[in-house]
Amino acid sequence: MPAIVLIGAQWGDEGKGKATDLLGERVQWVVRYQGGNNAGHTVVLPDGQDFALHLIPSGILTPGITNVIGNGVVVDPGVLLEEMEGLEARGIGTRRLMISADAHLIMPYHVAIDKVTERYLGKSKIGTTGRGIGPAYQDKVARVGVRVQDLLDEKILRQKVEAALEFKNQVLVKVYNRHALDPDHVVDTVLEQASHFSYRIADTALLLDQALSREETVLLEGSQGTMLDVDHGTYPFVTSSNPTAGGACAGSGIGPRRISAVVGILKAYTTRVGSGPFPTELQDATGERLRKTGGEFGVTTGRSRRVGWFDAVIGRYAARVNGITDFFLTKLDVLSGMETVPVCVAYDIDGKRVDEMPMTQTALHHAVPIYEQLPGWWEDVSHCRTMADLPANARAYVERLEELCGAPVSAIGVGPGRDQTIALRAP
């Protein structure tokens, strides 16, 4: 049985939580393989309850699924504990949640440094969430990070924290004029938090391999999106990890030969949060209409998302770098009521037509979208459950996006609810 990768094919916030929730009924394991609590997935259950998940995989809402926070994730123990307690308080059991021993921890000094650095950058800021994700990944790559398994050995934990703060306190005090952090307080705080979930720490890569050998299905869930990948996104306005499908193997410990399908989630239009280039961005009344109708506000931060028309250049790029086998198109209902719906099919860069993602940061900043105008539709599509139920122009829109992006659409979201989905084929 397969390991299936579920990735965002734009700048994140495409609706991966809903897709994971839907696929969750057919899988036994759901794995979050990168990122931290700088992203969020919203899932709306049939009874109308909505859940915002930040660290815990979306499969936690489906009984019987084992959920894994993989080694590629950076974990804030306080946030994890708060999220677990919040789910339990609403009647969602977290007994089947496991945490990789090799995942890295977001420590209080990572959060402090993230906030002061972003503030110091002023107009040049990247647009981080200020939750310590970047500094935690920096320490991981610099080989001075604290891992989840260190919570099981106070001596090692204390040594690592003391060594880290010997340098980081100098930066906080002498560069940013902030208070130094006390190593004992940091250690005591994270140990107290860990006491509530230490029994969940496991060699999850081994467990996942054993599950696949038993012919169980594993769903690998990324956060953020392709265009925020630290290698393949709009650098430097990116996250600090690899949301693309290649990151699923490194972030879970599953070998690439185990992957049999890659599902890319696309909105029927485009959004992004934070700074950076966005060729199809709308800064007018139409953009505000899409923002309000689509509820385009960050799950984690509450920030208004930037909104624009669908960008097929990005869609093609995502299909290529991820090896996408299927697209799940979300929020088609938001486009209802428009006379025409423009789709960006290429860019004009200094007078030259460019059909693929520009090679350089400079070229992308100069990109002007070339639009194809597609006829809109006025009908409410939120009740549609088959392709035949859709208005002719809505069907034509989906088929044109399929053609432009180079991979079939296997499902279409026509509303936020779990049941508001048109399933065309299994991935």
Side-chain angles (χ1 to χ4, degrees):
M1 294 293 286
I4 303 169
V5 181
L6 190 73
I7 58 98
Q10 295 160 316
W11 273 286
D13 306 309
E14 302 94 346
K16 295 181 291 296
K18 178 178 180 177
T20 301
D21 184 51
L22 288 167
L23 288 168
E25 297 178 353
R26 292 180 285 172
V27 304
Q28 288 76 51
W29 298 71
V30 177
V31 184
R32 170 78 178 275
Y33 63 83
Q34 52 76 222
N37 57 301
N38 56 336
H41 294 157
T42 300
V43 179
V44 181
L45 299 185
D47 62 4
Q49 288 191 83
D50 64 278
F51 291 83
L53 303 169
H54 305 278
L55 272 174
I56 297 175
S58 303
I60 200 71
L61 301 176
T62 303
I65 287 182
T66 301
N67 293 267
V68 173
I69 296 176
N71 59 274
V73 179
V74 286
V75 180
D76 185 318
V79 171
L80 175 60
L81 185 60
E82 182 180 343
E83 192 165 331
M84 288 166 48
E85 291 173 344
L87 287 168
E88 295 281 358
R90 296 180 64 182
I92 303 297
T94 62
R95 183 178 60 85
R96 299 178 72 94
L97 173 67
M98 309 178 81
I99 308 159
S100 170
D102 292 335
H104 279 246
L105 291 173
I106 299 174
M107 304 296 284
Y109 46 82
H110 292 137
V111 178
I113 288 174
D114 196 5
K115 289 180 177 178
V116 296
T117 302
E118 189 77 348
R119 192 177 302 121
Y120 180 80
L121 289 171
K123 292 182 179 180
S124 301
K125 65 182 180 181
I126 301 298
T128 77
T129 58
R131 285 163 167 76
I133 280 77
Y137 276 116
Q138 288 173 0
D139 277 6
K140 176 179 178 177
V141 174
R143 295 166 293 180
V144 294
V146 178
R147 296 192 291 178
V148 168
Q149 61 182 271
D150 297 329
L151 296 171
L152 304 177
D153 189 326
E154 182 177 346
K155 182 179 178 181
I156 288 178
L157 176 66
R158 194 170 297 278
Q159 288 174 348
K160 288 188 174 184
V161 170
E162 288 174 351
L165 284 179
E166 188 173 344
F167 170 73
K168 296 182 192 300
N169 274 338
Q170 297 288 326
V171 174
L172 286 169
V173 173
K174 295 182 178 179
V175 177
Y176 296 113
N177 195 30
R178 295 296 188 272
H179 294 296
L181 298 180
D182 176 51
D184 291 332
H185 178 69
V186 170
V187 170
D188 292 343
T189 298
V190 296
L191 282 177
E192 195 283 326
Q193 293 165 340
S195 68
H196 299 278
F197 60 79
S198 59
Y199 63 95
R200 302 175 184 270
I201 300 170
D203 183 351
T204 56
L206 174 61
L207 296 175
L208 290 169
D209 182 75
Q210 292 172 341
L212 288 166
S213 297
R214 291 193 301 269
E215 299 189 345
E216 296 175 0
T217 302
V218 175
L219 182 64
L220 298 150
E221 173 187 69
S223 64
Q224 290 100 17
T226 297
M227 302 310 296
L228 291 178
D229 188 281
V230 68
D231 288 294
H232 303 291
T234 49
Y235 191 90
F237 304 99
V238 294
T239 194
S240 301
S241 58
N242 294 107
T244 45
C249 294
S252 67
I254 291 177
R257 293 178 62 186
R258 296 283 201 176
I259 308 296
S260 64
V262 179
V263 180
I265 315 302
L266 282 170
K267 267 181 188 159
Y269 48 99
T270 310
T271 65
R272 78 168 296 172
V273 173
S275 306
F278 186 176
T280 67
E281 183 171 13
L282 294 167
Q283 296 178 315
D284 56 12
T286 301
E288 189 58 31
R289 175 197 180 282
L290 288 175
R291 184 178 296 108
K292 288 183 177 179
T293 306
E296 297 300 348
F297 302 92
V299 177
T300 298
T301 64
R303 290 184 293 182
S304 296
R305 295 177 186 140
R306 299 160 64 190
V307 178
W309 295 121
F310 187 89
D311 191 329
V313 179
I314 288 174
R316 285 193 294 274
Y317 179 71
R320 173 164 60 87
V321 300
N322 291 293
I324 287 173
T325 58
D326 304 81
F327 279 120
F328 183 168
L329 187 70
T330 64
K331 293 199 172 184
L332 185 66
D333 54 302
V334 176
L335 296 180
S336 291
M338 293 188 168
E339 187 171 347
T340 59
V341 185
V343 173
C344 172
V345 297
Y347 299 144
D348 181 302
I349 301 178
D350 299 329
K352 180 181 178 181
R353 180 184 171 113
V354 176
D355 292 286
E356 300 295 341
M357 185 60 56
M359 183 181 72
T360 67
Q361 179 182 343
T362 300
L364 183 59
H365 277 286
H366 292 174
V368 177
I370 298 173
Y371 287 114
E372 180 178 305
Q373 303 291 332
L374 298 179
W377 59 94
W378 297 97
E379 299 90 336
D380 176 13
V381 301
S382 62
H383 64 280
C384 297
R385 296 298 178 267
T386 69
M387 194 70 163
D389 292 339
L390 288 174
N393 287 347
R395 290 199 303 272
Y397 183 78
V398 173
E399 290 164 358
R400 183 57 176 148
L401 298 194
E402 236 180 4
E403 181 182 354
L404 287 167
C405 295
V409 172
S410 61
I412 304 167
V414 292
R418 178 186 280 181
D419 62 326
Q420 292 180 297
T421 305
I422 298 171
L424 302 179
R425 71 187 191 103

